[in-house]
C-alpha cells in the first residue's frame, strides 16, 4: 500500500507543486512552468516585519504519495492588531490544488488550519469551498459583493484634502506606516484623506487589469481598495477619493468590497456603478476586537491581480 503524508512546504517540492497546479487549474494547464512559478512566487516567499509575522517561513503544506506531490495547500500567515493593542494570528488559505483521488484530505487540512491561528480568512473561496466552510466549519460572511464605481458626484459644500503617500515618512499613524512598509513591496499604494475637522484616513489600494463584466472580452484598469484606516471618514468623503484616483491613476473604475461601505452616502453620490456578487468569509477561533478588517497581507494584496 502506498504511503500518504502531509508535510510542511519546502522548496524541494516546488517542481511537484507546479505540476500539481497545472493538473488542477485550467488557467495553469497551458502555461510554462516558469510562468506558474511567477504566479505563486509571492505566496511562497512573502516576508513580513517581525511585529506582523506569524509562523515565519511557513508557507503551507504538501500532500505526498511516495514522495510525489498530489496536493498543495498554500497558506499566508500574519498578525493583526486591534486599537486596544491586542494581537491576533490570521491564516489565509490560498491556491489549494488536490488531485481528485485525494480530495478527502481537504477536510483534514481545514481542521488543522482552524487550530493553527486565532482567525481564518478565505478571500477567494469557490462555491463548493464556500458551502463546505460555512456548513461544516462555521465560517461567517465577511463581505458579500464587490462594487465597481465608474463615476461619482462631488458633494457640494464639503472639503477633503487628498494627498498621495510617496514614502513611509508621509504617514503619521505608526501602525498604518508599518502596514505600508510590509505591503508596498507588492505594489500597494496609499492615499491620505484629511477631512474638514483635520481627521485622517489612510486608504491602501492597488492597480489591476480586470475582466469587464459588462463586455466579457474587454479588460479594464481598476483601482481596488484593500485597506481603510477609518471607514467613517472614508465613506463620508469617498467621492473626493474616487475622483482623485480616477484622474491621477487613469483608471476606468474604483472597486470596493461591501464590508468597507457603512453608509448609503456612497451609493447616493454614485452616477454609474456595477455590483458583483462575491463572498469572502471568516472564521473566529478566538473572540476578536478588530474594528476594521482588510485585505492587506492576504493573497489579494500579494498576488496583485484580479
Amino acid at each position: 500500500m502506498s504511503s500518504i503524508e502531509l508535510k510542511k512546504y519546502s522548496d524541494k517540492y516546488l517542481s511537484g507543486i507546479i505540476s500539481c497546479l497545472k493538473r488542477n487549474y485550467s488557467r495553469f494547464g497551458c502555461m510554462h512552468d516558469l510562468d506558474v512559478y511567477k504566479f505563486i512566487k509571492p505566496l511562497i516567499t512573502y516576508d513580513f516585519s517581525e511585529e506582523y509575522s506569524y509562523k515565519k517561513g511557513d508557507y503551507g503544506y504538501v500532500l505526498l504519495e511516495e514522495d510525489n506531490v498530489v496536493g498543495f495547500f498554500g497558506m499566508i500567515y500574519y498578525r493583526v492588531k486591534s486599537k486596544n493593542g491586542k494581537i491576533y494570528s490570521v491564516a489565509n488559505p490560498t491556491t489549494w490544488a488536490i488531485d481528485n483521488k485525494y480530495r478527502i484530505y481537504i477536510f483534514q487540512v481545514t481542521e488543522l488550519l482552524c487550530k493553527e491561528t486565532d482567525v481564518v480568512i478565505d478571500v477567494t473561496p469557490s462555491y463548493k469551498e464556500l458551502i463546505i466552510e460555512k456548513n461544516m466549519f462555521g465560517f461567517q460572511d465577511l463581505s458579500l459583493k464587490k462594487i465597481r464605481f465608474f463615476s461619482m458626484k462631488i458633494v457640494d459644500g464639503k472639503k477633503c484634502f487628498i494627498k498621495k503617500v510617496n514614502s513611509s515618512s508621509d504617514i503619521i499613524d505608526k501602525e498604518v506606516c508599518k502596514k505600508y512598509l510590509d505591503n508596498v513591496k507588492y505594489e500597494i499604494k496609499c492615499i491620505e484623506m484629511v477631512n474638514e475637522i483635520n481627521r485622517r484616513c489612510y486608504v491602501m489600494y492597488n492597480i489591476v487589469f480586470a475582466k469587464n463584466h459588462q463586455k466579457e472580452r474587454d479588460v479594464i484598469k481598476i483601482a481596488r481598495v484593500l485597506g481603510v484606516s477609518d471607514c467613517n471618514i472614508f465613506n463620508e468623503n469617498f467621492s473626493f477619493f474616487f475622483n482623485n484616483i480616477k484622474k491621477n491613476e487613469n483608471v476606468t473604475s474604483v472597486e470596493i468590497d461591501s464590508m468597507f461601505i457603512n453608509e448609503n452616502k456612497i451609493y447616493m453620490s454614485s452616477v454609474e456603478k456595477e455590483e458583483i456578487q462575491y463572498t469572502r468569509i471568516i472564521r473566529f477561533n478566538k473572540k476578536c476586537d478588530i474594528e476594521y478588517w482588510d485585505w492587506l497581507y492576504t493573497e489579494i494584496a500579494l498576488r496583485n491581480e484580479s
Side-chain angles (χ1 to χ4, degrees):
M1 179 179 279
S2 59
S3 172
I4 307 292
E5 293 182 281
L6 186 67
K7 291 192 172 183
K8 291 285 188 181
Y9 169 88
S10 169
D11 286 345
K12 68 182 180 181
Y13 301 124
L14 185 55
S15 176
I17 290 170
I18 290 172
S19 296
C20 186
L21 288 169
K22 293 178 76 170
R23 290 195 301 272
N24 286 279
Y25 285 87
S26 57
R27 66 179 296 182
F28 296 140
C30 58
M31 291 170 61
H32 294 296
D33 286 5
L34 180 59
D35 293 324
V36 178
Y37 171 71
K38 287 178 181 177
F39 177 90
I40 65 168
K41 182 181 178 182
L43 311 179
I44 55 174
T45 60
Y46 66 86
D47 185 25
F48 305 136
S49 60
E50 200 64 38
E51 189 168 1
Y52 286 96
S53 287
Y54 185 71
K55 296 170 74 74
K56 200 174 183 72
D58 191 339
Y59 304 114
Y61 298 90
V62 291
L63 189 67
L64 303 174
E65 181 181 44
E66 302 294 346
D67 292 327
N68 295 313
V69 176
V70 295
F72 171 60
F73 304 90
M75 309 283 187
I76 301 172
Y77 298 103
Y78 61 101
R79 287 187 174 102
V80 294
K81 184 186 290 187
S82 73
K83 285 192 174 181
N84 295 323
K86 294 181 180 178
I87 296 175
Y88 305 97
S89 56
V90 182
N92 167 214
T94 174
T95 321
W96 285 18
I98 310 97
D99 292 343
N100 283 330
K101 183 179 174 182
Y102 310 94
R103 290 190 178 272
I104 191 68
Y105 287 92
I106 292 175
F107 298 95
Q108 179 183 334
V109 176
T110 305
E111 285 179 353
L112 180 64
L113 176 63
C114 291
K115 297 174 183 177
E116 287 187 323
T117 56
D118 300 322
V119 181
V120 182
I121 294 179
D122 193 344
V123 294
T124 57
S126 67
Y127 179 74
K128 286 183 179 179
E129 291 167 344
L130 188 67
I131 298 302
I132 291 170
E133 289 174 329
K134 290 180 72 172
N135 290 343
M136 296 186 66
F137 294 98
F139 279 74
Q140 306 168 29
D141 293 333
L142 180 58
S143 189
L144 292 174
K145 57 188 174 183
K146 300 185 291 187
I147 302 96
R148 288 182 181 172
F149 294 94
F150 296 91
S151 58
M152 298 284 295
K153 296 179 290 187
I154 291 288
V155 180
D156 292 335
K158 289 194 68 174
K159 289 183 180 179
C160 181
F161 301 96
I162 307 286
K163 184 178 80 171
K164 183 177 180 180
V165 170
N166 294 307
S167 72
S168 58
S169 61
D170 294 334
I171 302 175
I172 295 173
D173 187 304
K174 290 182 180 179
E175 294 305 321
V176 173
C177 184
K178 291 172 186 175
K179 288 185 176 182
Y180 174 79
L181 287 170
D182 268 347
N183 288 271
V184 69
K185 67 186 82 171
Y186 303 106
E187 299 181 44
I188 304 303
K189 300 185 179 187
C190 184
I191 285 285
E192 180 189 64
M193 304 170 65
V194 183
N195 68 7
E196 294 173 305
I197 57 173
N198 209 36
R199 290 181 58 205
R200 284 175 170 77
C201 170
Y202 293 95
V203 183
M204 294 197 208
Y205 66 97
N206 59 9
I207 304 297
V208 298
F209 289 90
K211 185 187 296 183
N212 184 348
H213 295 280
Q214 297 173 346
K215 296 180 180 179
E216 283 293 320
R217 295 186 179 181
D218 287 357
V219 173
I220 57 175
K221 183 180 179 183
I222 67 173
R224 180 176 49 198
V225 173
L226 300 172
V228 175
S229 66
D230 189 312
C231 272
N232 292 326
I233 296 174
F234 176 70
N235 278 257
E236 290 168 5
N237 300 279
F238 176 73
S239 60
F240 295 96
F241 170 81
F242 172 87
N243 285 292
N244 180 280
I245 291 293
K246 188 167 185 183
K247 176 183 176 182
N248 293 315
E249 296 287 4
N250 192 29
V251 296
T252 302
S253 169
V254 174
E255 181 181 284
I256 316 174
D257 278 82
S258 57
M259 73 170 190
F260 293 122
I261 299 177
N262 60 12
E263 293 186 10
N264 286 325
K265 290 180 182 177
I266 287 184
Y267 291 112
M268 291 169 63
S269 299
S270 68
V271 176
E272 184 184 359
K273 70 179 186 301
E274 175 189 24
E275 296 187 6
I276 305 156
Q277 191 70 30
Y278 201 103
T279 304
R280 310 190 198 274
I281 52 179
I282 189 168
R283 174 190 159 109
F284 296 98
N285 304 321
K286 180 180 181 179
K287 190 175 180 180
C288 294
D289 63 342
I290 300 296
E291 186 175 8
Y292 302 127
W293 291 97
D294 59 43
W295 310 137
L296 298 172
Y297 297 95
T298 72
E299 61 179 303
I300 302 177
L302 269 59
R303 284 207 324 244
N304 193 24
E305 68 153 25
S306 176

